[in-house]
Amino acid sequence: MKEKPGNTRLQIRLHRTRPGRGRQAGRRWAAFIMGIWMVLLQFVYTDVPVQAQVEVSAPSAILMEASTGQVLFELNATERRCPASITKIMTLLLTFEQIELGKIGLEDNVITSEYASSMGGSQVFLAQGEIQTLDTMIKCIAVASGNDASVAVAEHIAGSEEAFVALMNEKARQLGMTDTHFEDCCGLTNSDGHYTTARDVALMSRELITKYPQVYNYTQIWMEDITHETRQGTANFTLSSTNKLLKQYPYATGLKTGSTEKAKFCLAATARKDGIDMIAVVMGAPDPKGRFKDAQTLLTYGFNISAMYVDPNTDPLPSLAVERGVAEQVPLAYAGEFRYLDTQGRDLSRVEKVIELPESVQAPVEQGRQAGVAKYTLDGVELGVIPILYGENVARAAYSDYLRKLFRDFLL
């Protein structure tokens, strides 16, 4: 179903002074009754996926909507399993993070070490001493799943694969990937100490595609040539995508395949339809075709039951009165857009938005601090809130500020 832009009925609600005790008691009873009613409505409206409609061959899988992180389906999603080359999702995530920080660039020359060139398994046959740009190395990782390219990039960023793996595990910890531990940067190891889960793979995939959507410039490549330039001469090499969904599923955008004897066949698949991004993770599928079929089943299920409500929050907000400040008012700004994923077929045109703000604020006021909220409800059920922030700093007025104000008012 299509993404639906915000079309809310907007109310602005100011917090008032505290009412008398009698009115408070009456409101407490009303709130109690309303609370029970809200709980009942929440029970009725809870977005619980109807998983009986989905059958997959893999022993572990999950389906997640990327922008909200909402899980629509899961099967043994916290079961620790060998990830094989979907390990490289974390390698790509750290690479784009380092680019954003300005520590590396796409035009960097990445030198292939003897160790990197010795990697077996899936590779692009980089020779010792061969130089490729980081841009090309990312293609080798994202398209052809090159183990040699992954190690070369890891060494370029951290100096050694071991140091890079430490960064991988630290990032996993930051993302809440509680059932993950990496021992290499490419997934070639068969060690029991190298593991993750379908849920954790979805978490790192979400981080990658939402923070660095430029990764799609690489993961959507089906076939592309690179040039090897070594002492032996120059030769072209064709990178071919390992992700067959790019040809099998019209909405596919990525992301990464993986397979070893221990891991069997794995896939983290991303797809976009009608403004909605889905992540389907399949681990331990019994055969290569099965992982693609499972992923397509999950993605199709997700798109069929989903509708996205989006409010970009571009409407103007009122300024807020400031007491005892050097300025009499402070501008306000939304913290961001609001997104809500519905899987129950509800009428999203009935969403209501209420702005809740105090009548005034005491100085000092710090820019970026929360002033209030924009609250979204549907048929009385709260869907979520977006913070409303102070847009500027307002210092507390000193005695001299009051004198200047009096003098200015006198002249006017």
Side-chain angles (χ1 to χ4, degrees):
M1 298 179 69
K2 292 185 178 180
E3 177 180 301
K4 298 185 178 181
N7 185 21
T8 55
R9 287 168 280 181
L10 176 61
Q11 302 176 41
I12 297 180
R13 182 181 298 162
L14 301 179
H15 297 303
R16 300 292 179 183
T17 54
R18 184 176 298 175
R21 291 183 180 178
R23 291 176 62 193
Q24 277 189 308
R27 288 188 178 186
R28 280 198 295 268
W29 273 108
F32 176 74
I33 299 299
M34 180 60 73
I36 295 176
W37 178 241
M38 293 276 280
V39 169
L40 292 173
L41 286 174
Q42 293 261 14
F43 179 79
V44 173
Y45 285 133
T46 298
D47 286 334
V48 179
V50 187
Q51 299 194 171
Q53 300 177 17
V54 184
E55 293 184 3
V56 295
S57 63
S60 178
I62 195 169
L63 177 67
M64 177 184 288
E65 194 282 315
S67 67
T68 61
Q70 186 170 328
V71 174
L72 286 76
F73 172 90
E74 56 184 326
L75 172 67
N76 301 321
T78 58
E79 181 179 273
R80 292 181 178 181
R81 305 189 68 88
C82 179
S85 282
I86 54 177
T87 297
K88 297 182 177 81
I89 295 171
M90 182 61 83
T91 300
L92 290 169
L93 173 57
L94 289 178
T95 299
F96 282 105
E97 184 177 77
Q98 293 295 303
I99 292 172
E100 183 183 55
L101 292 172
K103 295 183 178 181
I104 57 176
L106 290 176
E107 298 309 314
D108 282 7
N109 287 325
V110 180
I111 303 173
T112 304
S113 68
E114 179 181 6
Y115 174 65
S117 68
S118 71
M119 292 297 108
S122 177
Q123 56 185 306
V124 294
F125 303 100
L126 296 169
Q128 180 183 352
E130 181 175 345
I131 299 174
Q132 296 284 356
T133 65
L134 179 61
D135 180 64
T136 297
M137 288 293 198
I138 294 174
K139 290 177 185 176
C140 293
I141 298 170
V143 180
S145 195
N147 295 324
D148 43 3
S150 297
V151 174
V153 169
E155 292 174 337
H156 181 71
I157 291 173
S160 69
E161 183 183 25
E162 182 180 7
F164 186 82
V165 170
L167 296 178
M168 295 171 70
N169 285 316
E170 173 58 22
K171 191 65 178 180
R173 186 192 65 79
Q174 293 173 9
L175 294 177
M177 298 167 59
T178 55
D179 290 297
T180 294
H181 184 263
F182 297 112
E183 291 192 342
D184 69 25
C185 66
C186 58
L188 187 60
T189 181
N190 279 322
S191 167
D192 289 338
H194 187 88
Y195 57 82
T196 187
T197 66
R199 180 180 286 272
D200 283 358
V201 172
L203 288 176
M204 68 176 174
S205 299
R206 182 192 180 206
E207 182 78 1
L208 176 58
I209 66 173
T210 55
K211 281 200 172 179
Y212 309 107
Q214 61 267 38
V215 72
Y216 291 138
N217 296 334
Y218 301 91
T219 60
Q220 290 182 294
I221 295 173
W222 176 248
M223 194 172 289
E224 186 170 316
D225 288 346
I226 64 168
T227 302
H228 288 298
E229 294 183 1
T230 66
R231 294 177 180 177
Q232 286 70 41
T234 300
N236 288 334
F237 181 81
T238 300
L239 304 176
S240 298
S241 178
T242 57
N243 185 3
K244 307 308 178 188
L245 277 190
L246 293 178
K247 289 294 184 181
Q248 297 173 359
Y249 192 64
Y251 311 110
T253 55
L255 183 64
K256 193 71 201 69
T257 61
S259 64
T260 62
E261 184 177 352
K262 182 181 180 70
K264 297 186 179 178
F265 297 93
C266 306
L267 174 64
T270 57
R272 182 177 180 83
K273 182 183 179 185
D274 296 329
I276 300 176
D277 288 289
M278 293 287 178
I279 302 167
V281 180
V282 175
M283 299 190 73
D287 58 79
K289 290 184 178 179
R291 63 180 168 184
F292 296 119
K293 182 179 179 182
D294 285 349
Q296 186 167 334
T297 296
L298 290 171
L299 293 168
T300 300
Y301 166 75
F303 288 129
N304 283 345
I305 67 168
S306 298
M308 183 71 75
Y309 176 86
V310 181
D311 184 356
N313 280 326
T314 55
D315 53 294
L317 286 167
S319 294
L320 191 60
V322 179
E323 298 178 8
R324 300 181 182 179
V326 296
E328 295 181 351
Q329 291 186 321
V330 61
L332 302 173
Y334 292 104
E337 68 176 12
F338 174 77
R339 300 177 72 90
Y340 172 75
L341 185 74
D342 175 66
T343 60
Q344 302 296 314
R346 282 170 275 181
D347 182 2
L348 297 182
S349 67
R350 295 173 58 85
V351 174
E352 294 186 353
K353 174 182 179 180
V354 176
I355 304 297
E356 295 187 348
L357 294 168
E359 291 186 314
S360 63
V361 62
Q362 292 273 351
V365 173
E366 184 179 345
Q367 183 177 6
R369 291 276 188 173
Q370 185 169 330
V373 295
K375 183 180 294 184
Y376 295 83
T377 60
L378 176 58
D379 297 331
V381 179
E382 184 175 312
L383 304 180
V385 299
I386 289 292
I388 295 174
L389 312 177
Y390 298 116
E392 293 178 357
N393 292 320
V394 179
R396 188 177 181 88
Y399 182 70
S400 58
D401 294 310
Y402 288 112
L403 287 178
R404 279 194 294 269
K405 184 178 185 301
L406 285 171
F407 183 69
R408 186 172 61 249
D409 292 344
F410 176 76
L411 290 178
L412 293 175

